[in-house]
Structure formats: structure tokens, C-alpha cells
Amino acid sequence: MFYLITPDNKLLHYFRRNGKDADITQFRNEDNAFKKAGQNPSAILFVQKTVEEIPAFIEKMPFLNPQFLERRFYVYVPDLPKVSVTLGTEIRFALLQAGATAVFGSLRDAGLLYF
């Protein structure tokens, strides 16, 4: 099961267009996705956030719970390449420390994942 948390359909269309035919469920609200993921231990989470949303998202992340740290959790930050290298590194490090498996700044990098 693949849970995509994104504010629009762009990322969903990208994965479907590039052959990611896994069972994809899209959520616009991460709270609903977290509840569903808690019921499905094999779920893969892919979250899209902006640079401005990252601090609040990290504080809110329920992934400090060991059951969430065991799953694959990816974060796509489309405006990450536009910030300074220092800020970009801080954002990546903070997300990885909070439990993310990987952090992407471009869809090309995210598209290389095999689900």
C-alpha cells in the first residue's frame, strides 16, 4: 500500500505516468494518512511539503513511535533546490533525524524509487 500525502494531483499523476502502478491512495491531510498507516504496517508513506511547512511538520510527526520508524517514509520538498545549501542540508538532516527514509528535492530523484 502506497500513501501519497500531497496538496494537489501533480505528484499522483507523476507516479502513475512513470509506471508506479502500486496501490496508491492519495490524502490531502496527513492526519488521515497517519491513521490509515497505523492500521497497515506495510504502508509506504510519501509526503509533499514546502520548505516553510517543514518545521511544523517535524514537530507534528508521529514517527517517533517505533512502529512508524520501521516503515518507509519519504519526503518530497519541491522548493528545496531553491534554498541555500546550508538550509537545504539542515532540512534534510532534520527530516532524516525525525524518521524519514529519504528526502527529495526533485521529482526525477523521487521517480527513481522502486515501490
Side-chain angles (χ1 to χ4, degrees):
M1 187 56 87
F2 184 69
Y3 295 135
L4 184 64
I5 305 164
T6 179
D8 55 32
N9 290 332
K10 182 179 176 184
L11 199 55
L12 176 67
H13 293 304
Y14 178 82
F15 280 112
R16 289 204 171 136
R17 184 174 56 243
N18 288 297
K20 305 297 184 204
D21 291 330
D23 187 10
I24 299 174
T25 303
Q26 181 181 4
F27 295 91
R28 298 202 191 282
N29 179 333
E30 66 237 11
D31 293 332
N32 294 337
F34 294 157
K35 283 181 195 173
K36 276 289 213 190
Q39 299 168 359
N40 187 353
S42 65
I44 298 169
L45 298 166
F46 199 100
V47 180
Q48 178 180 342
K49 290 290 177 188
T50 64
V51 169
E52 292 81 24
E53 295 171 323
I54 295 297
F57 179 65
I58 289 173
E59 287 181 18
K60 186 178 178 182
M61 284 174 62
F63 296 100
L64 300 176
N65 183 330
Q67 74 174 16
F68 284 99
L69 290 174
E70 295 172 1
R71 71 183 70 244
R72 291 186 285 174
F73 167 61
Y74 302 96
V75 181
Y76 168 56
V77 186
D79 50 349
L80 192 61
K82 298 174 187 170
V83 299
S84 69
V85 173
T86 304
L87 180 58
T89 302
E90 289 175 8
I91 290 169
R92 287 178 193 273
F93 183 76
L95 286 166
L96 292 170
Q97 281 292 112
T101 303
V103 180
F104 302 99
S106 74
L107 283 177
R108 178 185 295 173
D109 294 339
L112 296 175
L113 295 173
Y114 180 75
F115 297 104

